[in-house]
Amino acid sequence: PVGGDEPRAATSCQAEGSGVRLLGAGLPAFCSMRSVAWWPCAAPWRVCQESCLLLAQLMSRRRLRLYTAAATAEVVKARSVPWARLLAMAAAAEVDGICSCKDADGNAQPGALVVLLAPHAATSPCVAVSAVLLAPESSALSPADAKQPRLLLLASDDVLEHAMPAQSVRGAQPIQIQAEAQH
């Protein structure tokens, strides 16, 4: 969106005398999350799922890539992964890009990111999903989950099943989003 907080609806225009009518085009890239209480205030935009794969090809920061099927299975099944576990996966070369999600002091930097999941087979396409890195004090986290920053996948079950078609991921949400309120 340019010049506003909300994505624009499809527009309609007609070239004079041509008989050609354009109803709308393009994919939403970002969505404002300013009115969502649990979203990190310092980074109020989330990546729209529709444009994740395209944006991931252009991003140099805020992009994690999972290299192994085991790492993908763990993250997709859990949907919410503690920062310490992401660091351990990075140390084991199962995930790359963790440094681009740290602030100048080396701490987790809350906000939106894209996660590239390892393909489940050599001929499978890469699946990119929208995610957010939440600070421990986020109201989205239950007291049990609020001990450290966490990665939270935002993609729907349908999207995640493309990464793991042999296993069901439906309903696997161990983290409960707390009630939303205005910032």
Side-chain angles (χ1 to χ4, degrees):
V2 178
D5 287 345
E6 298 303 320
R8 304 273 187 238
T11 58
S12 176
C13 64
Q14 186 168 359
E16 273 189 52
S18 72
V20 175
R21 186 168 182 195
L22 175 65
L23 295 177
L27 292 173
F30 302 96
C31 180
S32 174
M33 300 297 283
R34 287 185 198 334
S35 64
V36 179
W38 57 267
W39 193 269
C41 293
W45 295 92
R46 77 167 165 83
V47 178
C48 293
Q49 183 58 47
E50 299 91 334
S51 61
C52 279
L53 190 56
L54 175 65
L55 289 173
Q57 296 172 35
L58 305 171
M59 296 169 71
S60 60
R61 297 191 70 241
R62 311 291 300 175
R63 179 184 73 186
L64 298 180
R65 178 184 292 272
L66 302 176
Y67 285 111
T68 67
T72 293
E74 178 181 342
V75 170
V76 168
K77 285 180 183 176
R79 301 252 182 135
S80 171
V81 181
W83 180 249
R85 179 63 187 130
L86 289 173
L87 293 174
M89 292 168 90
E94 293 179 309
V95 65
D96 185 35
I98 198 100
C99 290
S100 73
C101 298
K102 293 180 180 179
D103 62 18
D105 297 325
N107 300 313
Q109 185 177 29
L113 58 131
V114 171
V115 179
L116 295 166
L117 305 174
H120 60 87
T123 58
S124 299
C126 182
V127 175
V129 298
S130 181
V132 62
L133 192 55
L134 295 172
E137 63 274 6
S138 171
S139 64
L141 299 173
S142 69
D145 290 325
K147 295 181 176 91
Q148 62 179 307
R150 295 183 78 83
L151 173 74
L152 175 64
L153 299 184
L154 301 174
S156 68
D157 289 335
D158 295 341
V159 172
L160 296 175
E161 283 178 350
H162 287 288
M164 298 175 42
Q167 303 172 26
S168 176
V169 296
R170 293 192 183 274
Q173 295 180 355
I175 179 172
Q176 297 296 316
I177 302 299
Q178 302 298 314
E180 296 180 11
Q182 298 292 326
H183 280 283

